[in-house]
Each structure stands twice: as C-alpha cells, then as structure tokens.
Amino acid sequence: ILVLNDVFKRYKMGEQYVNALDGVSLEIERGEYIAIMGPSGSGKSTMMNILGFLDLPDNGEYIFDGQKITGMSESDLAFARNRRVGFVFQTFNLLSRETALENVELPMIYSGISKAKRYKRAKKLLEMVGLEERMNHRPNELSGGERQRVAIARALVNEPDIVLADEPTGNLDSKTGTEIMSILDNLNEQGKNVILVTHDPEIAEHSNRIVHIRDGKIIGEEKK
Amino acid sequence: ILVLNDVFKRYKMGEQYVNALDGVSLEIERGEYIAIMGPSGSGKSTMMNILGFLDLPDNGEYIFDGQKITGMSESDLAFARNRRVGFVFQTFNLLSRETALENVELPMIYSGISKAKRYKRAKKLLEMVGLEERMNHRPNELSGGERQRVAIARALVNEPDIVLADEPTGNLDSKTGTEIMSILDNLNEQGKNVILVTHDPEIAEHSNRIVHIRDGKIIGEEKK
Ligand SMILES: Nc1ncnc2c1ncn2[C@@H]1O[C@H](COP(=O)(O)OP(=O)(O)OP(=O)(O)O)[C@@H](O)[C@H]1O
Ligand SMILES: Nc1ncnc2c1ncn2[C@@H]1O[C@H](COP(=O)(O)OP(=O)(O)OP(=O)(O)O)[C@@H](O)[C@H]1O
Ligand SMILES: [Mg+2]
Ligand SMILES: [Mg+2]
C-alpha cells in the first residue's frame, strides 16, 4: 500500500548537493512490520518524512494506496496525514506551551472529536505509556524518555492504520522500551503497518522485514 | 573531586511535589569512569545538571574540588562550567541559527581563544566525530545523530577535565556509537573523569563503576 518509486531528495548547500535519498525504491504491503536500519545520516528520517506526507520527493514518486500523492487533493493529503498515519518523530516535536495531555489531544481536534471523548482517549493513551502522573507537565517539565512517550501516545491517538516510529525507544530504559515495543507489536497483530527506524538490532527483531540503507540508497533486506 | 551530599531537588506542581532527587549522596574521585543507569524519569538528567553547574539542589550540598558550590563566586562557577566541565545534553541544545562549526566554536569564545585557533580546533573535533562534510550545516539541516555528534564535539572543545554525557549514543548506529565511545575511553585513559548516563548496558560496560538510580534515589552500585 506504500510505494516509493526511484525517489530522490536533494539539498542544495552552496555549490554542492547533499543527496539525502539517492534513488530509493521500496514496496510495503498492508500489515507489514518493517524496521529500517542504517548509519547516522544515511537518509532514514528523510525517507520516513516522505512516507508520512511531511515532505515531497524531488524526483520519483510516492504512491499511497494506489494513488500518486502528486495527484492527491490537499484535503485527501491532510486526511491521510492526520488519520491514516501516526508519526513518532526522532526529536518528538511536542508543543512546548501545552501539557502532555493537551499535546496528545491535539490530533483529535482536527478529526472533530468531542472534548469529553478527547480527554478520555488521551488519558487512556498516557496511562498506556506509563505517564498518568505526568499528564499536566509541559515538555520542559518532563524527562527525555517521558517526552518520547508523549510523542508515542500522540502518534497513536487517532487509531492510524500506519505507524511511523523514528527511533521510538532511543531515550528509554530497557524495561520501558519493552513496554513500548509490546504496544507496537500489538498494533501490528491487529493488522496495522508498523514502520520503525532503529539503531538497535534487538528492536529490529520485532519486525518481519529489515531494510538496510546507506548513503541514501537501499543496500539490502532481510526477511523472516 | 565531586561530592553530592544528601541532595534533594523538588518541583512544585499545583498542590503536589515531584521529588526528582530524593536524598542523593555520591562521591566521585579524580579520573573515575562512571555510568549512571535507571528508568526513564528516575532523576539522571537532574543529577547531571547539578554536577554540571546548570542547576542547584533544594537541600543538601554539591562540593566541587573540596569547595561547596554555594560558597563559590559567580566567576569561579562560570569558569568551572565553561572550562572544567564539558556537557553533552540529552536533547543536544544546539543554537539553531548557527552552523555546526559555529556551535562548536562557541565555548572557546568565552575562554578568549583567537578566531584562527577556534576554527582550527573546532574543525579538528568535527572531523573526529565524522562531520567534516557537515560543518556548515545548521541543526535543522542535520540528522538526529549528526546533531548529537555536534553536541559531543562542542562538549570537548575546551579540553574539560570532567565530561558529563547524557545518553551520548542514543541516536547513533552501533559503528558510529563505537567511535564515540573510543573518544570517551581515550579521554578517561588521559586521566579525565567521564560520567555518562546510558540506558545501554553495553555502553555502561566501558565504565569502571555503574551507579543505579530509581525514583530519585541511588539504589545500588557495581564496581569493576
Ligand atoms: N521542571 C520540572 N517540573 C516538574 N517535574 C520535572 C521537571 N523536570 C523534571 N521533572 C520530573 O523529574 C523526574 C526526573 O527527571 P529527569 O529528567 O532527571 O529523569 P531521567 O532519569 O533523566 O529520565 P530519562 O531517562 O527519561 O531521560 C521526571 O519524572 C520528570 O517528570
Ligand atoms: N535540510 C537539509 N539540508 C541539508 N542537508 C540535510 C538536510 N536535512 C538532512 N540533511 C542531510 O541529509 C542526510 C540524511 O539525513 P537523515 O535525517 O535522513 O539521516 P538519518 O538516517 O535519519 O540519520 P540519524 O540516524 O543520524 O538520525 C544527512 O547527512 C543530513 O546531513
Ligand atoms: Mg534520523
Ligand atoms: Mg534524562
């Protein structure tokens, strides 16, 4: 359902170009559980941003559910970004003036859910990631791993069918990391796509397919 | 040379208090290599901020090189913070409008080093962490692991005798992480203190003493 077709992403730096993605082709089927691994700077987050409709390729195509995204209307793109996909960012990207609870409620405002339902669902997700006692803290009143968990809760709140998680356990101790991985494993067992970037081979083992990237190119894959 | 003496750190949240540090006592000798481990939210970064002069205890004392820091002059504190200690932050804390090179040069401006020498030293450190080709990128033009490496280079630029590294390899693939750990191991072999927070037991193995923290208290230690 997600197809990258010879995708390029370049950044112009003075006289030179940085080829963040250098001809990437990838097909992801419904329900697949994928881990993306590769060196720092190899293009993983860039690829995730394109998959999550946060960025566009310079060349090549991104085809979502059979439709080229360059052909999609603004409202279809917005719907896909807000309802079909849940994104856990590598740098969390929380709103600094809002509490953990408000940050998790936010995606539901765009999908027109009532205030009472938003509160209930956001609270439930924060409990699921072990943050019930930190709901009213703002990001600067939270530890690194607590912010990461707010970002995870927020990504799951609209029940997306595709979860994109960019190094979701990087700031977590192994016990908390294991709890987060159970949540992701569970979502995949329910039929949802989980695509995670990780540097940790033990985390990658949860997937059924590992994609290796280097210098903006896919260099290999492992399937279970 | 670093002593925390029954240190407390509390945050008031409405009617309640969060006890980020709940009676912490710790003695660190010259040249020790220490790893601090514990669950997300257990107080590790809070403790590091006190050790690095970025925060003060609410109760108890921090004694640096035999001197209570509450008795230190502003200029002595500033000198210790800028020249004696190098800090790698969990969330990097780079200046977003400056390039990688400028971010690494910054601590040397405060220590009165000439422009030519600053450039040369900053460049050398960025090469050491594998970022020579990214020197002129700003933080938003860098990957997560590249930002982390800029933060590491910046922490080392004034040749501190104490390095505080809060999860320094969290965003790095294992090869790049190994390179960073060699840099830290090397600094310790030269006689410098290295104190790192990590969730990764393999990283903690580089130290010769592991301190375990939970709920703002030290609950145990392991010595090699
Ligand atoms: N400004 C603040 N106001 C209220 N609570 C705070 C504040 N800063 C930190 N805390 C709380 O203090 C506790 C300890 O925070 P700290 O950042 O030291 O944890 P940590 O051990 O570094 O966690 P992690 O491994 O997730 O980075 C956390 O539970 C956090 O919510
Ligand atoms: N806006 C930009 N301008 C210039 N170069 C950029 C920009 N954004 C990213 N890059 C470069 O593109 C490359 C790929 O970045 P990306 O964030 O995708 O890497 P990554 O694989 O996620 O790395 P990490 O594991 O460190 O997070 C990096 O070398 C980075 O320096
Ligand atoms: Mg990345
Ligand atoms: Mg921390």
Side-chain angles (χ1 to χ4, degrees), chain B:
Chain B
I1 55 161
L2 306 180
V3 178
L4 295 174
N5 199 354
D6 205 28
V7 161
F8 287 79
K9 183 75 191 174
R10 280 182 286 272
Y11 296 105
K12 193 173 197 297
M13 296 294 294
E15 290 301 311
Q16 301 186 313
Y17 279 93
V18 171
N19 295 323
L21 294 179
D22 202 17
V24 167
S25 294
L26 184 66
E27 286 189 30
I28 297 172
E29 317 246 328
R30 185 172 295 284
E32 275 196 284
Y33 195 161
I34 298 194
I36 299 169
M37 298 187 83
S40 172
S42 55
K44 306 179 295 296
S45 297
T46 304
M47 185 154 102
M48 294 284 271
N49 287 340
I50 289 172
L51 289 171
F53 307 101
L54 300 164
D55 203 359
L56 292 169
D58 292 320
N59 282 90
E61 268 294 351
Y62 175 30
I63 303 158
F64 182 78
D65 254 7
Q67 197 178 2
K68 286 186 186 182
I69 69 148
T70 41
M72 279 171 83
S73 68
E74 263 311 309
S75 54
D76 281 351
L77 272 171
F79 182 87
R81 192 183 296 130
N82 180 257
R83 304 288 294 281
R84 300 288 310 278
V85 173
F87 207 130
V88 185
F89 295 93
Q90 185 171 9
T91 47
F92 321 150
N93 299 1
L94 302 177
L95 297 181
S96 55
R97 292 199 211 121
E98 312 277 323
T99 64
L101 185 73
E102 289 162 344
N103 265 283
V104 176
E105 286 175 328
L106 194 61
M108 290 185 282
I109 295 176
Y110 295 124
S111 47
I113 293 178
S114 75
K115 197 165 174 5
K117 284 217 178 87
R118 290 202 304 267
Y119 175 82
K120 194 156 177 266
R121 175 136 181 91
K123 190 164 181 287
K124 175 156 171 266
L125 272 155
L126 284 164
E127 285 169 1
M128 189 166 76
V129 298
L131 288 179
E132 56 272 31
E133 293 178 16
R134 294 287 182 268
M135 291 197 326
N136 299 315
H137 288 229
R138 292 187 170 72
N140 68 341
E141 297 167 331
L142 291 170
S143 78
E146 289 167 347
R147 289 177 209 173
Q148 186 157 42
R149 284 181 276 160
V150 176
I152 291 163
R154 181 182 62 179
L156 304 183
V157 80
N158 269 339
E159 300 187 81
D161 24 69
I162 299 156
V163 179
L164 296 170
D166 199 342
E167 301 190 37
T169 60
N171 279 284
L172 302 175
D173 55 281
S174 55
K175 176 162 178 291
T176 313
T178 302
E179 291 164 11
I180 294 303
M181 289 313 295
S182 314
I183 295 170
L184 294 178
D185 292 352
N186 207 301
L187 286 169
N188 183 249
E189 283 155 20
Q190 295 171 28
K192 304 190 199 305
N193 277 91
V194 175
I195 301 158
L196 43 91
V197 169
T198 183
H199 286 308
D200 187 339
E202 283 184 31
I203 297 291
E205 282 301 306
H206 288 252
S207 72
N208 40 48
R209 180 178 167 203
I210 300 175
V211 174
H212 292 281
I213 183 169
R214 175 185 290 278
D215 297 326
K217 290 180 163 67
I218 292 177
I219 56 165
E221 289 201 17
E222 303 168 51
K223 255 185 171 144
K224 287 223 174 124

